């Protein structure tokens, strides 16, 4: 069985694979991200994945609201761990959405985690 989100994910041709191999070593400069410009300027270190992933991402907030998640777990005062678990509860419902793929690509690239994320696979306590 093919690995979930392997190195050739979205690469449809030999040319695409060659270009990706060259480009993947270069830094990513993303002017459209969901971090606070102030926090980037201050070189803020985040306490946990919920703080960096969910703190300013209105796309994730909208997905969570669409999943019926209570606002206290989105922009409210729930503990970060609980917010993260509510996000993980939402992820399986995002298949077909770029959020689903972005989420898993980030998990793979930065945490070396290559399985589908859900509330059942996310508990890190």
């Amino acid at each position: 069985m093919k690995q979930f989100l392997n190195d050739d994910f979205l690469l449809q041709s030999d040319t695409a694979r060659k270009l990706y191999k060259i480009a993947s070593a270069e830094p990513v400069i993303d002017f459209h991200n969901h971090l606070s410009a102030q926090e980037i300027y201050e070189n803020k270190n985040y306490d946990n994945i919920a703080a960096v992933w969910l703190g300013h991402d209105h796309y994730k907030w909208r997905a969570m609201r669409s999943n019926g998640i209570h606002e206290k777990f989105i922009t409210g005062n729930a503990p970060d761990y609980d917010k993260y678990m509510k996000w993980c509860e939402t992820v399986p419902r995002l298949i077909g959405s770029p959020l689903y793929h972005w989420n898993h690509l980030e998990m793979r690239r930065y945490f070396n985690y290559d399985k589908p994320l859900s509330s059942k696979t996310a508990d890190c306590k």
Side-chain angles (χ1 to χ4, degrees):
M1 181 158 91
K2 191 174 183 182
Q3 178 186 359
F4 179 65
L5 294 182
N6 65 18
D7 288 336
D8 287 343
F9 176 69
L10 296 179
L11 304 176
Q12 301 291 320
S13 68
D14 288 337
T15 302
R17 284 185 274 285
K18 288 175 188 175
L19 288 172
Y20 179 76
K21 187 174 182 176
I22 294 166
S24 65
E26 298 301 317
V28 173
I29 300 172
D30 182 4
F31 294 105
H32 176 220
N33 66 69
H34 296 107
L35 299 175
S36 157
Q38 180 73 30
E39 291 174 1
I40 293 170
Y41 171 76
E42 294 170 349
N43 198 27
K44 178 178 178 163
N45 290 312
Y46 296 90
D47 293 332
N48 55 60
I49 193 171
V52 70
W53 249 9
L54 302 172
H56 301 285
D57 195 330
H58 59 94
Y59 292 124
K60 288 183 178 122
W61 297 346
R62 184 173 58 213
M64 292 170 76
R65 289 180 185 119
S66 295
N67 193 33
I69 303 296
H70 192 281
E71 193 66 28
K72 73 179 181 180
F73 298 105
I74 302 168
T75 60
N77 62 356
D80 283 347
Y81 177 81
D82 295 342
K83 289 180 177 183
Y84 171 72
M85 291 304 290
K86 289 296 185 180
W87 169 245
C88 294
E89 178 182 315
T90 301
V91 170
R93 295 175 165 260
L94 301 174
I95 294 173
S97 162
L99 281 174
Y100 184 81
H101 300 297
W102 294 334
N103 183 89
H104 288 97
L105 288 168
E106 289 171 344
M107 290 297 287
R108 185 169 186 260
R109 176 168 284 175
Y110 302 111
F111 301 103
N112 200 30
Y113 184 82
D114 64 358
K115 295 175 180 52
L117 187 63
S118 70
S119 57
K120 293 177 183 149
T121 63
D123 194 359
C124 56
K125 281 190 171 180

